[in-house]
Amino acid sequence: MRRTAIRTISRRFVAVAAGSARLFRPILDRRWPGSVLVLVLVLAVGAQGYLAFEPVLADNGELTGTPVSATDLRTIQTAALSCPSLTAPRLAGQVMAASGFDSGAVGKGGRRGLAGLDPHGWDKWHPWPDAQQGDPQANIVALAHQTCEMVGELRTAGVPGDPWRTAVAATKVGADAVRKVKGIPASAQKYVDTVSSYADWYARQPEFGGADTGTATPAPDTPDLAPNTVKALPDEYVADVLKAGQICAAVTPARVAAQLMAASGFDPNKQSASGAQGIAQFLPEIWTAYASSPDATTASPWNPDTAIPMLGTTMCDLAGQLSALTSGDPYTLALAAFQWSATAIRQAGGVPQSKALQDNADRVLSYVDYYAKDTRLAPKKASSSPSPSASHSPSPRPQPQNPVPLPYELSVDLSVSYEIQNGFNQKVLDVPGDDNNPAPGVTIQQYRDKRGKDQFWKIVPVAHQRGWYHIINGYSGKALAVKDASRADGARIVQANPNDAAKTQRWHFEPAGDGTYYLRNWWSQKVLDVYGDDLNTSDGGTIDQWRQQDYAKDQRWRLTR
C-alpha cells in the first residue's frame, strides 16, 4: 500500500505540538484566561502550514493519482478545451499536484483550493464574477485559463520547449522566471516533473481514454443495466415522448425514448454522481437555461411530464445551434452538448475525445431502432373522421404558391434601424459573434441586448409589393431569409446576400397585439419563431420558422430602438 500525505501531515503536526509544550502546558493546566480559545487558535495556526497536499509514491516508486469524480471529470474535460496545448490528463495532473483533488488544501503564501492559487492569482483567474475559491469547478476552469494564458505569453516571448511544461513552470514560479532562463528554472523542475508524472498516470486511466483497468474509476452516469438490455417505453410516458418528438425533425419520438433509456432506464428518481437529475438526467445548469421562463415555475427535472417535453425542446435547440459544424451529425453533437454544453462542443469543433461522451452516443443510437418499431410512437394515419378543432390541435396554414400580399403596412420610421425583440423572453435577433460575422448562410440566434451593430435591422419595403419588407442586418448588410427556401416547420433562419427577387427574403409584419407582430415569410407562410414552446430563454437559442400558434408568445416580436 502506498503511503499517504495524511500520515506525513500527522507526524509534522505532532512535532509542532511537542515543540510547543511550554506554550501548551499553562493552557492545559487552566492557568490562562480563555485557555480553550487560545488552544484552538494555536492549533489552527500550527496546522495552517501543514494542510498542503504533498505528492507521495506508490510502492513501485511511481506517482499515482486520485480517482476523479464524475463531476470533476466533466469539468476537466471541458476546461481542457481552452487551448490545444492542454489535455484532460494534463489538467488532471496539474490539479493532482496542486491539491490532490482536495478542495480544502492550503499551502504556503495563502495558496488554497483545488488549483492551489494564491489570493492574487485567484483574483486574476477566477472564471466568473461570483466564483468562490472553495468551488472545485471554478478552480479547475481557473487553472486551465491560467495555463493557456501562460502558453500564449511564453510562445510570444520565444521560449523554446514543450509549451505545456514551460507553462506549468510559469504557474509555479511566474512567467518572468521562465522567460529569464528561456526554459524551466531549476526551482520549478521538480514540480514540472511531478505534474508530468501525474498527467502520464491519468492518460492511462479508462475515464481519460486510456487502457489501464487496474484502478478504480468513477461510477458512470448510466443505468445499472446488463449490456444490450433495453426496456419497453412505459405507457405513462408515451404522450410526453410524442410531444417531445414533434418539436423538430432532428429529434424524433424514437430518439427521445432512446435517450431516456440510455440516461436513466426510465427512472424518474435517478440522480447521478455528476448531479444530473430525473428521468432525462438534466444537469442543473442545462435545466436552468431552458426552464427559467415565467411560465415554467412549476416545471421540475424530477417531473417526467415536464422533463420529457423539455428534453425535446433542449435537444432541438442544441441540434440547431450546432448544425453549422461539419464535424458530425447535429443530433449526435447535441447528445454531447446535453452532457457538456454547446460551448464545449464548439470549442472542440465537434464531439471531444471523451470515452463517456462516445459511450453515451453509442448507447442512444443503438436503442433508436428498437423504439422506432414501437407502434405507439409512429405517426398517426390520416382519418376520414372530422379533425379536431383548431383550438385543440392547430393545423398548418395552407402554403399557396403565390401568397396574396396582406394589406397591413408598418407605421414606423423606416429611415432608422431597429432591434427585433422577442415578446416572450425579451432577447433580440442576433448574428452569432461580436460584430464580426458577415458571412452568408450563418444561422440567426437570439441573444441578450448588447446594443451591437449586428443586433440592429433595417426594414426595407419590397418594391411593388405593398406590406412586405426585406429585413437587413445593420452590420453585415445581409438579409433575413429561410434556409434552403424550406417550407418546413423548424427550418432555420439565416442571413443571406440580399436579393430583391428572393421570395424567402420577404416578410410581413402582422399585428399580434400589445405592440407585437407575427413576422410571416412570403414563401413559406410560416412565422418567425424561437425553437421550443415558450420555454427557451437561453442566449444562443436558435431562430426558426413555424406554423402560427396563437398561444405562442415566442412567435411575437416588437421593434425597439
Side-chain angles (χ1 to χ4, degrees):
M1 296 178 62
R2 65 180 178 131
R3 294 178 292 114
T4 65
I6 296 176
R7 183 182 300 173
T8 303
I9 292 170
S10 300
R11 288 173 178 170
R12 291 185 177 181
F13 187 76
V14 169
V16 170
S20 305
R22 291 183 180 179
L23 179 61
F24 292 160
R25 189 176 304 281
I27 297 174
L28 297 174
D29 290 344
R30 298 184 179 179
R31 285 182 284 143
W32 282 12
S35 58
V36 174
L37 176 61
V38 174
L39 176 59
V40 170
L41 291 174
V42 171
L43 290 174
V45 172
Q48 178 71 15
Y50 298 97
L51 293 178
F53 169 77
E54 292 189 358
V56 293
L57 298 176
D59 290 340
N60 62 4
E62 294 182 353
L63 288 177
T64 302
T66 297
V68 180
S69 71
T71 301
D72 287 346
L73 177 63
R74 181 169 60 89
T75 304
I76 286 170
Q77 291 175 315
T78 303
L81 299 171
S82 298
C83 63
S85 296
L86 194 59
T87 65
R90 285 178 167 183
L91 183 56
Q94 289 181 249
V95 175
M96 184 66 197
S99 66
F101 281 92
D102 177 6
S103 59
V106 178
K108 296 178 180 179
R111 292 178 177 270
R112 63 188 182 91
L114 245 63
L117 293 172
D118 60 23
H120 174 73
W122 178 253
D123 185 60
K124 182 176 181 180
W125 297 109
H126 67 275
W128 44 82
D130 57 346
Q132 301 298 311
Q133 198 164 359
D135 179 353
Q137 280 65 57
N139 270 255
I140 292 169
V141 175
L143 185 57
H145 290 176
Q146 182 195 34
T147 303
C148 288
E149 178 67 20
M150 294 301 176
V151 168
E153 282 189 27
L154 298 175
R155 179 182 288 117
T156 301
V159 176
D162 183 322
W164 174 70
R165 286 175 60 88
T166 54
V168 169
T171 65
K172 182 68 173 178
V173 298
D176 288 340
V178 176
R179 280 193 291 261
K180 184 176 179 180
V181 300
K182 291 289 184 179
I184 299 174
S187 59
Q189 188 65 59
K190 181 179 178 180
Y191 179 75
V192 173
D193 290 343
T194 298
V195 173
S196 297
S197 294
Y198 279 133
D200 290 342
W201 184 85
Y202 282 111
R204 297 194 298 270
Q205 306 314 304
E207 64 268 35
F208 288 92
D212 188 348
T213 59
T215 57
T217 61
D221 293 340
T222 56
D224 184 15
L225 300 169
N228 302 319
T229 299
V230 60
K231 297 179 180 178
L233 174 66
D235 288 338
E236 62 263 35
Y237 302 140
V238 170
D240 290 329
V241 168
L242 285 170
K243 182 178 180 180
Q246 293 171 352
I247 296 173
C248 68
V251 182
T252 64
R255 284 180 166 180
V256 174
Q259 190 171 351
L260 294 173
M261 175 64 201
S264 70
F266 305 112
D267 178 1
N269 300 311
K270 177 179 173 61
Q271 180 158 10
S272 72
S274 65
Q277 301 171 335
I279 192 169
Q281 287 294 277
F282 272 95
L283 290 166
E285 59 268 29
I286 299 292
W287 178 264
T288 299
Y290 286 93
S292 57
S293 73
D295 294 338
T297 53
T298 59
S300 167
W302 301 107
N303 180 357
D305 290 335
T306 56
I308 296 173
M310 193 77 76
L311 179 64
T313 294
T314 304
M315 290 296 293
C316 281
D317 184 65
L318 293 173
Q321 289 189 47
L322 300 169
S323 60
L325 293 179
T326 59
S327 57
D329 165 63
Y331 177 71
T332 304
L333 295 173
L335 286 172
F338 186 77
Q339 291 187 286
W340 277 18
S341 83
T343 300
I345 307 309
R346 289 193 191 96
Q347 285 179 325
V351 178
Q353 295 298 314
S354 164
K355 186 176 185 297
L357 291 183
Q358 190 59 59
D359 286 350
N360 180 67
D362 290 345
R363 276 194 304 275
V364 174
L365 296 175
S366 71
Y367 296 152
V368 171
D369 286 345
Y370 173 85
Y371 293 107
K373 297 174 183 176
D374 189 333
T375 57
R376 297 172 299 169
L377 302 182
K380 299 295 184 182
K381 294 183 178 180
S383 171
S384 58
S385 60
S387 60
S389 65
S391 61
H392 291 87
S393 179
S395 59
R397 288 176 173 262
Q399 299 173 348
Q401 293 296 319
N402 296 292
V404 178
L406 300 177
Y408 184 79
E409 294 184 78
L410 282 171
S411 57
V412 297
D413 185 356
L414 299 184
S415 67
V416 300
S417 295
Y418 292 90
E419 289 183 311
I420 301 177
Q421 184 184 63
N422 189 260
F424 164 68
N425 58 37
Q426 314 310 310
K427 300 293 172 70
V428 299
L429 288 188
D430 175 89
V431 178
D434 192 8
D435 288 345
N436 60 4
N437 201 342
V442 172
T443 301
I444 301 302
Q445 65 181 9
Q446 67 177 8
Y447 211 83
R448 63 183 178 274
D449 183 3
K450 297 171 60 179
R451 310 300 290 177
K453 292 179 181 179
D454 59 7
Q455 293 183 334
F456 280 85
W457 304 81
K458 186 81 170 176
I459 313 300
V460 181
V462 174
H464 311 300
Q465 196 168 24
R466 183 170 62 89
W468 293 87
Y469 301 87
H470 298 296
I471 302 175
I472 308 298
N473 188 261
Y475 165 73
S476 68
K478 300 297 189 294
L480 202 67
V482 179
K483 184 177 181 180
D484 298 329
S486 174
R487 284 180 166 146
D489 281 340
R492 300 294 183 266
I493 304 301
V494 298
Q495 64 175 10
N497 291 322
N499 182 348
D500 289 339
K503 298 174 182 178
T504 61
Q505 295 183 13
R506 301 177 187 180
W507 300 88
H508 179 262
F509 289 75
E510 182 178 330
D514 195 26
T516 64
Y517 303 93
Y518 295 114
L519 272 63
R520 190 177 308 284
N521 186 264
W522 191 94
W523 175 250
S524 67
Q525 287 297 290
K526 301 293 172 67
V527 298
L528 201 68
D529 173 88
V530 179
Y531 232 159
D533 193 7
D534 284 351
L535 293 171
N536 194 338
T537 62
S538 63
D539 284 339
T542 300
I543 304 300
D544 67 350
Q545 68 175 7
W546 203 268
R547 63 184 178 274
Q548 182 178 325
Q549 298 168 313
D550 292 339
Y551 65 84
K553 297 176 183 178
D554 60 6
Q555 291 185 347
R556 303 175 190 181
W557 305 83
R558 58 172 49 90
L559 299 177
T560 64
R561 294 289 311 280

